[in-house]
Amino acid sequence: QVQLVESGGGLVQPGGSLRLSCVASGSIFSSNAMGWYRQAPGKQRELVAVISSGASTTYGDSVKGRFTISRDNAKNTVYLQMNSLEPEDTAVYYCNMGKYYSTAAYYYPYDYWGQGTQVTVSS
């Protein structure tokens, strides 16, 4: 049984920063990849960033150079540092556990999702 809890969202001005956190229950955190997704109203859920069990990272084109994903296995926590935020970043952000295939650069999400945390970028 895996449970994921996101936090850290809020209202921020364009150009500002936020750090999201996701705490995972259980004892299998360190052996799995973790991903951050986001979904805005009327939009499909999109993959934002992935970190493998070995701490390799991959980012969606829309956030490269602005977002950083990291993990702290001792705390069973994955983070998403978001800088230079833009209004188009406004969405509900979800964390997810999955498997990363490094040779194909492919992330396969398992059916473990948190409740999400709202990020709103507005002046």
Side-chain angles (χ1 to χ4, degrees), residues 28-29 31-35 37 47 49-54 56 58 71 96-112:
I28 61 174
F29 177 83
S31 64
N32 286 280
M34 297 291 294
Y37 288 77
L47 181 62
V50 171
I51 185 164
S52 73
S53 61
S56 298
T58 303
R71 65 193 298 161
N96 167 261
M97 181 176 290
K99 185 173 183 178
Y100 185 69
Y101 298 89
S102 60
T103 57
Y106 176 74
Y107 179 72
Y108 179 82
Y110 301 149
D111 194 22
Y112 301 129

Side-chain angles (χ1 to χ4, degrees), residues 48-89:
V48 174
V50 171
I51 185 164
S52 73
S53 61
S56 298
T57 59
T58 303
Y59 300 92
D61 289 340
S62 63
V63 305
K64 286 181 179 177
R66 300 189 298 120
F67 291 9
T68 302
I69 187 171
S70 61
R71 65 193 298 161
D72 186 339
N73 289 342
K75 298 180 179 179
N76 280 7
T77 301
V78 62
Y79 304 95
L80 185 68
Q81 177 67 46
M82 305 185 295
N83 299 325
S84 301
L85 284 163
E86 305 167 354
E88 67 184 20
D89 296 316

